[in-house]
Amino acid sequence: MARDGKHVIHAGGIFANPQLHREGAAAADTQPGTVGTFVNGLFTAASDADVGIKYVANFDYLRCKTVDDTIAAGEWVVAFHPTPGVFLNIPAVAGTYNKGDALSVVNGQVATGGGADAQFFVEENEETVISTAGELLRVVVK
């Protein structure tokens, strides 16, 4: 769910050229920004323990869909590999987040409690309270 003017998934930073993309059908209904992997060609929400390259589902601007539109199971997902220094808006688990907090990935959403090997860190300017799971949280990729 877009909030605080968040209308994009890629929120800044420099993409490598060329950026690594992957496409496939959604295994289940998927919110843009979801962190996932491709399992048998299907984009599937991921958690930290999942092996393989993690991707982030982008919103479908080619079909005039926004960050508020769910990608239905079976619809095409264009996802990109998050690279260091890129800022993303990713759905978060309900909770309180502070700038610099290391994040874990749980069922495609970020959550507090990331360890030393965390890939995502909170990049909001002030303490942010996510009251409803799935609201977008600005993160930076390390």
Side-chain angles (χ1 to χ4, degrees):
M1 162 188 274
R3 64 182 210 77
D4 296 330
K6 293 179 178 144
H7 301 288
V8 297
I9 299 305
H10 173 238
I14 299 173
F15 274 140
N17 189 13
Q19 182 67 25
L20 178 60
H21 285 84
R22 184 151 180 201
E23 301 178 33
D29 288 356
T30 301
Q31 180 181 353
T34 297
V35 179
T37 59
F38 283 87
V39 178
N40 298 322
L42 299 175
F43 184 83
T44 305
S47 294
D48 280 342
D50 293 327
V51 296
I53 298 173
K54 303 276 192 309
Y55 293 88
V56 175
N58 205 354
F59 68 96
D60 191 348
Y61 62 90
L62 295 174
R63 288 182 270 198
C64 298
K65 293 188 178 186
T66 70
V67 295
D68 294 323
D69 296 316
T70 299
I71 302 165
E75 282 189 359
W76 210 244
V77 176
V78 176
F80 55 89
H81 180 253
T83 51
V86 172
F87 299 89
L88 302 168
N89 290 316
I90 295 182
V93 170
T96 301
Y97 297 87
N98 293 291
K99 187 170 184 154
D101 286 350
L103 299 168
S104 60
V105 177
V106 179
N107 197 26
Q109 298 182 343
V110 291
T112 57
D117 60 346
Q119 183 179 16
F120 302 106
F121 293 81
V122 176
E123 190 51 38
E124 296 283 352
N125 290 330
E126 55 192 46
E127 180 179 88
T128 301
V129 176
I130 301 291
S131 55
T132 304
E135 290 180 15
L136 296 175
L137 178 73
R138 182 161 304 196
V139 305
V140 63
V141 180
K142 295 283 178 157

